[in-house]
Amino acid sequence: KRNLPVKSTGDFTDANDFLNEIEWERRREFVGEGLRWQDMKRFGKAVSWLTSKGQPDTKSLFPFPNSVLVRNPKLEQNEGYNL
């Protein structure tokens, strides 16, 4: 990549094309650093990935810790994490 030309806004047909390029660059740059899940959520691809694996889309939310649920009895656990 050392001698590749710098990209400009004219290289992209629309904003969606530009965002796809940003996503692919982040995937190449941060491979193995544990940032993929947050990027999938940021770019709106987490739910489709979860459903393709047979998981409910509510798995995109983290469960509340039990200590938080004990302190606030009005709070309900996120769907799919009921113990």
Side-chain angles (χ1 to χ4, degrees):
K1 291 194 86 162
R2 182 176 298 164
N3 296 321
L4 288 178
V6 176
K7 293 192 178 204
S8 67
T9 56
D11 295 333
F12 304 102
T13 57
D14 58 7
N16 193 33
D17 193 25
F18 179 66
L19 289 176
N20 284 335
E21 179 62 28
I22 289 174
E23 181 186 6
W24 277 104
E25 181 61 30
R26 287 184 60 84
R27 286 179 80 173
R28 288 187 295 266
E29 183 73 24
F30 298 121
V31 65
E33 293 188 19
L35 300 174
R36 180 71 181 133
W37 179 248
Q38 293 300 322
D39 281 348
M40 285 175 67
K41 287 174 70 173
R42 178 180 297 123
F43 290 109
K45 297 183 179 182
V47 172
S48 62
W49 184 82
L50 282 170
T51 54
S52 74
K53 301 296 181 192
Q55 298 292 321
D57 60 348
T58 56
K59 289 288 187 175
S60 63
L61 303 172
F62 288 118
F64 288 111
N66 195 33
S67 60
V68 172
L69 294 172
V70 169
R71 281 194 310 248
N72 188 351
K74 294 183 180 181
L75 190 63
E76 294 181 10
Q77 183 62 275
N78 289 326
E79 186 177 335
Y81 291 105
N82 293 330
L83 301 173

